[in-house]
Amino acid sequence: MTMTTSSFYLRPNVVMEPLITQWYAWLHLVAPATAPLYVIQHLKIMQSFLAHPQIHVAAMKNPDLIGGPYVNYGIDKVGDVRSLVEVTKQEEAPSVEFAAAVQALDMMLNEHPRGMSLEELYPKVPALLRGYVELGYDVRNQPSMRFIERMLYRSEHYRESAQSLLLWRMDRDERPFIFSTPRLEESDNILLRTPFRSDAVDEILALRHRPAKVGHFQELLGVGADKEPLLRSFLTEDVPSPPASRYDGDGVRIRYFGHACLLIESKELAILTDPTLSYRYSAEPARFTYDDLPAKIDHVLITHAHADHFMLETLLQLRSRVESIVVPKSNGSLQDPSMRLLLENLGFPRVMELEELESLEVEGGAILGLPFLGEHGDLDVRSKLAYHVRLRGRTAVVAADSNALEPMLYRRLGEIIGPLDALFLGMECEGAPMSWVYGPMLLAQLARKMDQSRRLCGSNSRRASEIIDLLSPRQVHVYAMGQEPWLGHVMGLRYTSESPQLVESNELLEYCHERGIAAERPYCKRELLLEPLS
């Protein structure tokens, strides 16, 4: 290759990971009210590694401990992690102070005479939080704080300087679990220090389909001579295939891209749900990738904020081709930050919130938000919706990790929406303890037996069969199981044939087949067609 004169494309398998203080970015690590609490957790994990690296190394050799609070590096990285701890302490000192202020305010609320006016507490609120919180009671006189999130995003507490992107080349599905380990700058990656909302992000990604001279790549990525050989390995002269053609049939086509990611298309619209996409590289089994998406996606639907459904890594790569993102509305509490505000501050131009049973009219149909229960460990989290999608008279419900804790809800929904053509339902029925996701936000310690009882799980066979009986779908697809091999970095799951998730979902498939309902558990790649109405 003549690097100085030729033009090149960015390879389709170059990963662009969003990072906050060099940890994998997801909602609660970006939102300004919650990020400081997770920074504290990250410091504890790294300090544990520094104190006992051999324990972490041993833990990572045990498949049962994947997903635990263990750094996935060898002892040779102790020095690098120690340097990151020192940088984090310095750069994230405001976050440490903010977290301490939240704890202090929570203690103040709990020590205040229960039920008495909270007015006198406002002058005593820690200075860092004054003007950003409202104090209130619920109807049982339990006090709490509500953050005025939009103001926090306009304050020094929202620190874009902590944001960066890590580029590296992915050639196989194996990818280490990313929520317990920082990402270090190494010889095989390029760390781009720029805010996520930067136009440079879209410009870099556009180079997958638009060629440029190597100097342009160097300028965009800030690459010096030491990383030029690595940059060369990220580039190719091969002309990429154009984006996939839009579906132009008279029915509705649904393509399964893995986990909870569906591309639902009519002649008029392309709708993508919970995007979690594979990059394109030589791997089995076959799958749809970014290359199989159309150039324009009319709507992206997000069911809830867990990182396997609201994946910032994927969303940032789709930003330039998405017309709008639809998200559920949050309740403004600490544990339920607004997805809309976050996306708007990350440069997404059109983000819409739907509430339960609120409808968005679209060409040839409508998208209706449906309530769903479960999956959040009994926390008061409002930002979760299933979606009823109606296009060209055909209907599908994307139910995410719905759990029939109260079957009457689904009976009432069935009366509203009527029979379905297709139901997509998650059955990760043995989820992690609630603290696995929300631990840093638990301002009061939760007893282990309580934590174990409040798991982040979807339906088992019995509850899923109740949903099916009450919604009357013509076909059922058990999805969002985290089985796809390219999702190990966020799921931390390794199924066997005896895993409860597979046993329970097999029971459900048998239940459906006995009743004449077409049912399957798609894996990696699937396409189905809802035929046009006669």
Side-chain angles (χ1 to χ4, degrees):
M1 294 192 296
T2 307
M3 298 296 291
T4 56
T5 59
S6 300
S7 292
F8 301 91
Y9 299 90
L10 185 68
R11 290 183 181 272
N13 60 332
V14 173
V15 177
M16 183 181 279
E17 285 185 353
L19 307 179
I20 299 289
T21 321
Q22 293 187 222
W23 285 73
Y24 193 81
W26 61 298
L27 175 74
H28 292 99
L29 189 54
V30 181
T34 55
L37 303 173
Y38 285 85
V39 168
I40 298 298
Q41 182 191 52
H42 294 163
L43 282 169
K44 290 178 180 178
I45 292 173
M46 291 190 290
Q47 288 164 338
S48 170
F49 174 72
L50 295 180
H52 305 287
Q54 66 281 1
I55 293 178
H56 288 248
V57 171
M60 286 297 91
K61 294 178 181 178
N62 183 348
D64 293 335
L65 295 180
I66 292 175
Y70 302 104
V71 171
N72 190 25
Y73 286 129
I75 294 177
D76 60 311
K77 296 297 183 184
V78 165
D80 294 322
V81 173
R82 180 174 289 110
S83 296
L84 181 57
V85 167
E86 295 307 312
V87 170
T88 302
K89 286 180 177 179
Q90 180 178 354
E91 295 184 354
E92 293 292 339
S95 293
V96 174
E97 293 177 15
F98 188 97
V102 171
Q103 291 281 357
L105 178 55
D106 179 68
M107 185 177 300
M108 187 187 306
L109 287 170
N110 284 319
E111 291 175 350
H112 189 70
R114 191 60 50 88
M116 298 299 291
S117 172
L118 299 172
E119 182 177 345
E120 67 182 66
L121 293 185
Y122 279 94
K124 302 176 184 178
V125 169
L128 278 176
L129 305 183
R130 291 190 63 181
Y132 297 119
V133 294
E134 179 182 23
L135 310 180
Y137 286 116
D138 66 14
V139 294
R140 295 187 63 83
N141 289 325
Q142 298 292 327
S144 64
M145 65 188 88
R146 180 185 73 86
F147 286 92
I148 306 171
E149 283 189 86
R150 197 174 293 274
M151 292 189 67
L152 278 176
Y153 275 104
R154 298 188 180 190
S155 75
E156 69 276 10
H157 300 303
Y158 178 57
R159 297 178 51 252
E160 289 187 333
S161 60
Q163 299 176 5
S164 61
L165 296 136
L166 194 72
L167 282 75
W168 53 281
R169 184 172 166 179
M170 186 172 184
D171 296 306
R172 60 185 186 277
D173 284 331
E174 290 76 21
R175 190 169 169 184
F177 186 72
I178 43 77
F179 292 116
S180 63
T181 302
R183 302 292 277 130
L184 301 174
E185 188 172 9
E186 301 187 77
S187 60
D188 63 350
N189 61 44
I190 294 172
L191 186 65
L192 174 63
R193 298 187 184 277
T194 189
F196 300 153
R197 63 173 174 81
S198 169
D199 292 339
V201 177
D202 294 333
E203 189 173 354
I204 292 166
L205 294 169
L207 296 174
R208 294 197 196 277
H209 294 279
R210 188 178 67 236
K213 299 288 193 297
V214 67
H216 186 57
F217 283 95
Q218 288 178 301
E219 182 180 352
L220 278 175
L221 296 174
V223 173
D226 60 326
K227 287 285 178 98
E228 185 178 342
L230 176 63
L231 175 61
R232 294 184 185 187
S233 71
F234 290 178
L235 309 181
T236 178
E237 290 184 295
D238 295 339
V239 178
S241 301
S245 300
R246 291 283 288 256
Y247 171 67
D248 63 356
D250 293 326
V252 175
R253 185 177 73 181
I254 302 177
R255 284 183 163 180
Y256 173 76
F257 277 68
H259 198 53
C261 183
L262 305 172
L263 179 64
I264 306 173
E265 292 181 286
S266 68
K267 188 178 294 185
E268 297 83 11
L269 285 177
I271 298 171
L272 193 65
T273 71
D274 291 347
T276 52
L277 297 166
S278 173
Y279 297 89
R280 179 167 63 83
Y281 43 87
S282 179
E284 294 292 337
R287 77 284 306 267
F288 292 120
T289 71
Y290 285 95
D291 290 356
D292 296 295
L293 293 175
K296 186 183 85 167
I297 300 165
D298 297 282
H299 301 287
V300 168
L301 309 182
I302 303 295
T303 58
H304 59 296
H306 292 169
D308 57 321
H309 294 260
F310 184 58
M311 186 177 285
L312 294 181
E313 177 183 333
T314 304
L315 288 171
L316 286 172
Q317 301 205 43
L318 298 178
R319 183 170 60 192
S320 64
R321 62 207 295 185
V322 170
E323 291 292 306
S324 77
I325 299 186
V326 179
V327 299
K329 189 173 183 178
S330 71
N331 65 18
S333 64
L334 182 66
Q335 70 271 14
D336 194 17
S338 167
M339 285 184 271
R340 177 187 173 185
L341 285 179
L342 183 141
L343 289 168
E344 288 177 344
N345 281 276
L346 297 190
F348 289 84
R350 188 173 181 223
V351 186
M352 295 180 287
E353 290 179 330
L354 277 189
E355 299 197 50
E356 296 157 347
L357 295 185
E358 186 176 11
S359 181
L360 171 65
E361 299 301 313
V362 298
E363 189 173 357
I367 299 167
L368 177 68
L370 303 180
F372 86 75
L373 304 181
E375 177 64 2
H376 290 74
D378 299 329
L379 278 177
D380 181 16
V381 173
R382 183 179 174 188
S383 57
K384 53 183 180 177
L385 283 178
Y387 293 98
H388 177 271
V389 178
R390 176 173 53 83
L391 295 176
R392 291 185 159 253
R394 292 303 192 185
T395 55
V397 162
V398 181
D401 301 309
S402 297
N403 194 341
L405 303 175
E406 172 49 270
M408 188 57 69
L409 168 66
Y410 298 93
R411 179 181 299 278
R412 299 189 192 283
L413 287 177
E415 293 169 353
I416 293 171
I417 63 178
L420 304 172
D421 289 308
L423 170 66
F424 292 84
L425 179 65
M427 290 187 66
E428 212 297 86
C429 57
E430 192 179 82
M434 186 264 290
S435 65
W436 191 72
V437 171
Y438 297 102
M441 289 183 285
L442 301 179
L443 300 179
Q445 187 171 1
L446 191 68
R448 178 177 172 78
K449 66 178 181 179
M450 296 177 184
D451 192 25
Q452 291 293 324
S453 75
R454 294 169 59 182
R455 303 186 78 88
L456 307 172
C457 55
S459 292
N460 58 19
S461 178
R462 177 179 62 82
R463 288 179 172 168
S465 64
E466 289 179 313
I467 294 174
I468 289 166
D469 290 344
L470 296 169
L471 296 186
S472 303
R474 294 182 178 88
Q475 54 184 269
V476 172
H477 306 269
V478 177
Y479 80 150
M481 297 289 282
Q483 287 185 279
E484 280 71 29
W486 61 87
L487 288 172
H489 66 299
V490 294
M491 301 303 299
L493 293 173
R494 292 191 179 183
Y495 290 148
T496 69
S497 59
E498 288 78 36
S499 296
Q501 296 90 334
L502 298 190
V503 171
E504 293 287 329
S505 58
N506 285 337
E507 287 183 8
L508 181 75
L509 297 180
E510 183 177 351
Y511 177 88
C512 291
H513 295 153
E514 289 174 351
R515 285 153 182 78
I517 301 171
E520 65 172 355
R521 187 176 58 230
Y523 177 63
C524 290
K525 181 179 182 179
R526 183 74 168 89
E527 179 176 303
L528 62 111
L529 183 66
L530 303 180
E531 298 286 353
L533 294 172
S534 56

